[in-house]
Amino acid sequence: MVAEQQTLVTFFGATGDLAKRLLYPSVFNLYKKGFLQEHFAIVGTARQEISTAEYRDMVYTAIEGDQDKERAAAFIEHFSYCASDVTEAAGYHALREAIEAASAKFGVQGNRIFYMSVAPRFFGTIAQYLKSEGLLADQGYNRIMIEKPFGTSYDTAAALQNELENAFDENQLYRIDHFLGKEMVLNIAPIRFGNPLLKAAWNKDYIKNVQVTLAETLGVEERAGYYDTAGALLDMFQNHAMQIVGWLAMEEPSSFTDTAIREAKNAAFNALQVYTPEEVARYFVRGQYGPGKEAGHVAYTEEPDVPADSKTNTYIAGELHFDTPRWAGVPFYVRSGKRLEKKTTRIDVVFKAGSFDFGNGQKSAETVLTIEVSPEEKVTLSLNAKAVADDFETRTIDLGWTPSASEKAAIPAPYERMLHDAMDGDGSNFADWNGVATAWKVTDAVSQTYAADQAPLEIYESDTMGPKAADDLLAKNGDTWVFRG
Ligand SMILES: NC(=O)c1ccc[n+]([C@@H]2O[C@H](COP(=O)([O-])OP(=O)(O)OC[C@H]3O[C@@H](n4cnc5c(N)ncnc54)[C@H](OP(=O)(O)O)[C@@H]3O)[C@@H](O)[C@H]2O)c1
């Protein structure tokens, strides 16, 4: 039995791409599942002057209401629209009236969520006006959902955090990283903490290295304007990869609550080494795609709107180290790139090989726990076993699990899960400030080294798994990438 949530969500950027493509369908799913029933209201706002009727039509189209006419018609009755410019105080007065009217009409008990689906430069401004112009509820909760990116460096992130903190407490802030809403990322905790076998072995005594791979086959497409200022380092490493690393490297939480989980993650984040320029050159590899064999796969610098002399990294690989007793000496390898041979998001935890001698010099091999996040969802654990042969020989076998087709169909999209969790007051799967700040400190050290051109830029062939230097990075420690395309 799903408990009904009583809430009012204000969507800033209500006419934008994210709202139409991902947010409204997610809210509709929560409605279809009974999580939202009668006592919820949605207020949309953007500068465009449209009526509530036109806004409802827009939402109806976004949720493909034609496929479920009756339900969709009842659903959009909960939506209203108020045009406002987020940079002008006056706009918030009309918005406040719209929110109060919808709140009274649908009896939401004062609970308010403000979803910032606008350009990041507006996040701090909106937070301040929400408070100064009296848009916060006196009873119930007030929560803010913040889109990415959260800053472009530690300094800009800290300035934004400062603006948010002037109006809200940390426990009211829900920073979105949609990778944290992915089903298989959510599987890390039960696999790690629910199985004594793995829990006992989750440390330097048994783990040789940990690998996180976020590989894309697409090139920069039409996003050059944004991407050329960010690169793989800011687009994927600082946020998504680091948040996954947080689940893998964290200490064991004292309970499975958002505060305890954050505390346990921060124990690891706070022990993450921040590198000097010399260390960046040693522990990080930056690459940029050159041309590939496939038609149309030109070099990054020949893509539309990319400066011909761009040194933006379209590939990044790094070796992270945590100064904790759990992880002393264990490398966490992280890589992400565009125009790679295969698209995959996956985690490989490499366990040390045993020393038992089976005779004839045969030793057991390293074993690997793999969590494939996308495009396939799969968990695999490799073990040493006997090969079918007359002589005694060993080999590795894979134990694997993948969700059934019906389970896959039931997996909520990340945005649905995040809206659900924010309404539920569960911050477990959102990025907290301390984690974001640490990720920026580590990232800044790398980007500053690159800005000063103190490390080589490796050009790699498109449709391969990236530069050879990234293989050499692991080879120096006697390691290899588990996933090789
Ligand atoms: N789209 C995605 O797939 C995606 C994925 C991940 C994260 N995000 C993040 O989500 C946020 C929204 O992205 P988006 O792609 O939806 O952007 P978008 O399509 O450009 O939409 C921006 C929205 O903001 C409104 N807006 C712009 N200036 C405004 C102002 N001064 N006052 C009030 N409203 C204003 C726009 O409407 P008006 O012009 O009518 O005001 C529009 O509704 C960004 O932070 C982005 O980084 C997006």
Side-chain angles (χ1 to χ4, degrees):
M1 182 69 183
V2 183
E4 183 196 6
Q5 292 288 313
Q6 307 192 346
T7 193
L8 183 148
V9 183
T10 302
F11 283 111
F12 288 94
T15 56
D17 172 67
L18 184 73
K20 288 192 273 199
R21 218 164 35 80
L22 297 172
L23 301 179
Y24 300 144
S26 295
V27 181
F28 190 40
N29 277 346
L30 294 174
Y31 180 68
K32 287 195 280 191
K33 289 175 180 175
F35 191 69
L36 298 175
Q37 296 176 16
E38 288 312 310
H39 302 97
F40 83 97
I42 306 291
V43 177
T45 185
R47 286 170 306 177
Q48 195 184 348
E49 298 280 353
I50 52 170
S51 65
T52 284
E54 286 169 313
Y55 178 51
R56 288 180 181 168
D57 284 347
M58 198 186 79
V59 175
Y60 189 86
T61 307
I63 61 171
E64 296 180 7
D66 290 343
Q67 292 177 18
D68 199 347
K69 281 196 171 65
E70 214 171 295
R71 204 142 39 161
F75 174 70
I76 59 171
E77 285 297 309
H78 292 256
F79 284 66
S80 55
Y81 185 82
C82 172
S84 74
D85 185 326
V86 296
T87 61
E88 290 170 10
Y92 290 85
H93 303 155
L95 188 57
R96 186 179 65 210
E97 283 170 21
I99 289 172
E100 283 169 0
S103 179
K105 183 175 173 190
F106 292 101
V108 300
Q109 308 300 324
N111 298 332
R112 291 182 191 173
I113 292 178
F114 299 92
Y115 195 119
M116 300 192 190
S117 182
V118 287
R121 67 180 182 283
F122 296 136
F123 296 163
T125 309
I126 296 174
Q128 307 227 355
Y129 276 130
L130 287 177
K131 187 166 187 198
S132 67
E133 305 312 306
L135 276 76
L136 305 180
D138 300 330
Q139 51 166 331
Y141 59 71
N142 291 290
R143 297 177 186 146
I144 309 292
M145 296 183 76
I146 310 158
E147 263 304 329
K148 70 156 202 172
F150 197 93
T152 52
S153 63
Y154 174 77
D155 288 345
T156 53
L160 170 57
Q161 175 64 13
N162 199 29
E163 287 182 292
L164 295 169
E165 271 175 3
N166 285 337
F168 297 95
D169 293 335
E170 178 66 19
N171 64 12
Q172 294 177 290
L173 303 176
Y174 292 75
R175 289 180 203 77
I176 289 174
D177 189 311
H178 70 278
F179 275 57
L180 290 178
K182 289 180 185 264
E183 185 72 11
M184 299 310 280
V185 172
L186 290 159
N187 249 305
I188 299 171
I191 288 172
R192 191 185 149 180
F193 300 119
N195 301 295
L197 180 72
L198 291 173
K199 192 166 110 164
W202 210 266
N203 56 50
K204 66 175 186 338
D205 296 333
Y206 294 95
I207 291 179
K208 188 160 184 256
N209 66 72
V210 179
Q211 304 180 12
V212 175
T213 302
L214 312 180
E216 300 176 274
T217 49
L218 290 178
V220 67
E221 308 293 296
E222 66 287 342
R223 293 172 69 218
Y226 152 74
Y227 193 83
D228 200 59
T229 64
L233 187 66
L234 269 58
D235 191 43
M236 300 296 278
F237 171 83
Q238 186 278 334
N239 41 37
H240 308 316
M242 288 298 293
Q243 289 299 323
I244 293 175
V245 166
W247 272 118
L248 295 164
M250 70 193 280
E251 289 302 310
E252 186 177 329
S254 55
S255 64
F256 206 56
T257 57
D258 52 6
T259 10
I261 289 169
R262 285 174 179 197
E263 215 171 278
K265 280 188 187 171
N266 287 333
F269 278 135
N270 293 342
L272 192 51
Q273 290 181 12
V274 178
Y275 295 142
T276 61
E278 294 71 34
E279 288 169 330
V280 169
R282 175 174 164 204
Y283 290 124
F284 272 80
V285 171
R286 64 169 167 166
Q288 187 185 78
Y289 62 82
K293 293 195 179 71
E294 278 191 41
H297 285 191
V298 296
Y300 175 71
T301 47
E302 285 166 28
E303 296 276 22
D305 304 324
V306 173
D309 59 353
S310 172
K311 290 205 150 192
T312 294
N313 53 81
T314 63
Y315 179 98
I316 194 82
E319 174 182 338
L320 305 175
H321 284 274
F322 293 89
D323 286 331
T324 59
R326 180 186 296 277
W327 295 122
V330 180
F332 278 64
Y333 302 116
V334 176
R335 62 179 163 166
S336 181
K338 283 197 179 294
R339 263 292 183 261
L340 299 181
E341 185 185 339
K342 288 262 169 59
K343 177 180 168 63
T344 184
T345 297
R346 61 183 276 151
I347 296 153
D348 296 287
V349 180
V350 181
F351 291 89
K352 291 178 178 175
S355 56
F356 189 82
D357 189 344
F358 290 99
N360 298 333
Q362 266 196 89
K363 297 237 166 77
S364 50
E366 291 165 3
T367 54
V368 183
L369 169 70
T370 298
I371 301 177
E372 288 177 60
V373 177
S374 66
E376 286 301 312
E377 290 101 352
K378 194 173 182 189
V379 181
T380 313
L381 178 65
S382 70
L383 293 177
N384 285 280
K386 184 187 162 300
V388 178
D390 291 339
D391 293 333
F392 189 90
E393 287 172 26
T394 61
R395 62 169 171 179
T396 53
I397 55 163
D398 286 341
L399 309 183
W401 168 81
T402 187
S404 66
S406 60
E407 283 175 327
K408 278 186 190 168
I411 293 174
Y415 276 93
E416 179 186 331
R417 187 181 312 272
M418 290 183 297
L419 280 159
H420 170 287
D421 287 1
M423 290 174 191
D424 220 10
D426 181 356
S428 306
N429 298 308
F430 294 87
D432 90 320
W433 167 237
N434 187 73
V436 171
T438 319
W440 272 124
K441 285 178 193 161
V442 172
T443 305
D444 277 2
V446 182
S447 32
Q448 282 158 12
T449 305
Y450 292 162
D453 227 356
Q454 288 172 299
L457 176 69
E458 309 284 344
I459 304 298
Y460 59 97
E461 190 183 340
S462 280
D463 316 311
T464 66
M465 277 312 286
K468 182 180 170 296
D471 295 339
D472 298 342
L473 179 75
L474 275 66
K476 275 189 284 199
N477 301 330
D479 295 329
T480 50
W481 293 107
V482 174
F483 182 73
R484 309 193 57 76

